[in-house]
Structure formats: C-alpha cells, structure tokens
C-alpha cells in the first residue's frame, strides 16, 4: 500500500482523461473507502486496545501464578487460581471477539464497496461505449485502473488491526 499510494492520483487523473463520469465514480468509490477506514478506526481501535490490555493482564496473572506454584499448591488455591485466570482470560477473549467482529464487518464492507465500484465502472463504461461511442477498451481499462487506484486504500483498511496493535505496543513502550 505504501508503494502503490503515490500512483493513486496518476490513476485517478488517467480515468478522468477517459471520461469525467468514470472519474467521478472513482472519487466516490475512494470517498466510500475513506469513510470505511474512518469507521474502522472509530469502532475498532478502542476494542482492540481493551482486548490487548485484558490479554496482557491474563498473561501477567498466569506468569505470576506459575512463579508462585509452590505457594498456590501449599495453600490449596490451585482451583481458585485456575478460575481467576479463566475469568481474566475470558474477558480478554470477549473483547478481542468484539473487536474482530467489527473489524471483519468493516473489512467485508470494504471488499463489497470495491466490487461495487468496479461494477459501476464496468456498467458506466458499457453505457459510454454505447451512448457516446467511446472505444470499447475504455470500459475494461478503466475497470482495471480503478482497481489499482483503490487497492492501497483497501490494503490499509484490511491491515488496520496490525497498525493499531503496533501503535498500542509503541504507546506501552513509550509509557
């Protein structure tokens, strides 16, 4: 996505060179993808942060419990410690499930939006070939070019979870 991003304006201008209508469809498609990226940040960031924090607490609890194995066994607290770790671990898994469900929904909506943009380009291209006598190759080429133009946005949205996790890790290290 990083290396494809500088080509987005070039591809968009190329599509505008074919037809302003196809260019507008491209811009609207990009706008929809940007809105989905914002929604992904808004609706999943907090949940991933909570899930990571809860997961760390569960790992710290397990590490502390293993470090004190002799004391836990001597006091007969093994079952209680397992129940406590299970509760902390379940909270982490629930938070991660909520975050993943939202992220998966937005990722699916992103793929659907991409397909819709490509179909709109193909349909409008066919209309322009028939109504305005554009060359038939414009219909296919514009569909291919729009997929290259919106590919970086789609990649960023699908890889957003990794970015959020890296940002959270940096914040923890900085703290």
């Amino acid at each position: 996505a990083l290396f494809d991003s500088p080509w987005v304006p070039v591809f968009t201008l190329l599509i505008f060179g074919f037809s302003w209508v196809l260019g507008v469809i491209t811009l609207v498609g990009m706008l929809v993808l940007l809105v989905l990226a914002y929604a992904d940040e808004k609706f999943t960031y907090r949940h991933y942060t909570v899930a990571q924090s809860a997961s760390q607490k569960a790992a710290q609890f397990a590490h502390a419990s293993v470090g004190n194995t002799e004391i836990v066994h001597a006091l007969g607290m093994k079952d209680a410690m397992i129940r406590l770790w299970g509760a902390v671990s379940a909270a982490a898994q629930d938070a991660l499930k909520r975050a993943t469900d939202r992220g998966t929904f937005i990722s699916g909506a992103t793929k659907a939006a991409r397909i819709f943009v490509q179909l709109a380009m193909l349909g409008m291209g066919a209309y322009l070939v028939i109504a305005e006598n554009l060359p038939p190759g414009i219909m296919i080429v514009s569909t291919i070019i729009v997929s290259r133009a919106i590919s970086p946005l789609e990649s960023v949205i699908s890889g957003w979870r990794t970015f959020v996790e890296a940002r959270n890790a940096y914040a923890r290290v900085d703290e």
Side-chain angles (χ1 to χ4, degrees):
L2 180 66
F3 295 113
D4 285 341
S5 295
W7 290 98
V8 171
V10 174
F11 291 144
T12 305
L13 287 174
L14 187 61
I15 292 171
F16 266 106
F18 296 150
S19 169
W20 69 271
V21 176
L22 297 176
V24 169
I25 291 172
T26 302
L27 289 178
V28 168
M30 287 180 180
L31 181 65
V32 167
L33 290 176
L34 287 173
V35 166
L36 287 170
Y38 176 76
D40 195 16
E41 168 71 16
K42 192 74 172 162
F43 296 124
T44 63
Y45 173 72
R46 181 175 53 86
H47 292 287
Y48 279 127
T49 304
V50 168
Q52 277 186 330
S53 175
S55 179
Q56 280 184 332
K57 285 179 186 175
Q60 288 171 350
F61 183 83
H63 183 70
S65 297
V66 168
N68 296 315
T69 304
E70 294 85 16
I71 296 170
V72 168
H73 280 293
L75 295 175
M77 297 173 53
K78 178 181 163 189
D79 292 335
M81 295 300 277
I82 290 173
R83 278 194 307 275
L84 285 172
W85 175 80
V88 172
S89 180
Q93 289 175 355
D94 288 343
L96 183 61
K97 182 186 179 314
R98 280 192 302 276
T100 303
D101 287 347
R102 290 174 185 213
T104 302
F105 176 78
I106 291 174
S107 180
T110 301
K111 287 180 178 32
R114 179 188 51 85
I115 290 171
F116 181 75
V117 169
Q118 288 179 318
L119 285 173
M121 290 292 282
L122 200 56
M124 185 53 72
Y127 172 77
L128 292 173
V129 165
I130 293 169
E132 296 186 13
N133 291 328
L134 263 80
I138 296 291
M139 177 177 68
I140 303 300
V141 169
S142 63
T143 304
I144 293 169
I145 292 174
V146 79
S147 72
R148 297 302 309 152
I150 63 178
S151 169
L153 291 171
E154 186 181 7
S155 296
V156 166
I157 294 169
S158 64
W160 195 252
R161 177 180 177 203
T162 306
F163 175 74
V164 168
E165 288 175 354
R167 187 171 53 184
N168 288 343
Y170 179 75
R172 284 192 309 273
V173 168
D174 192 40
E175 185 179 295

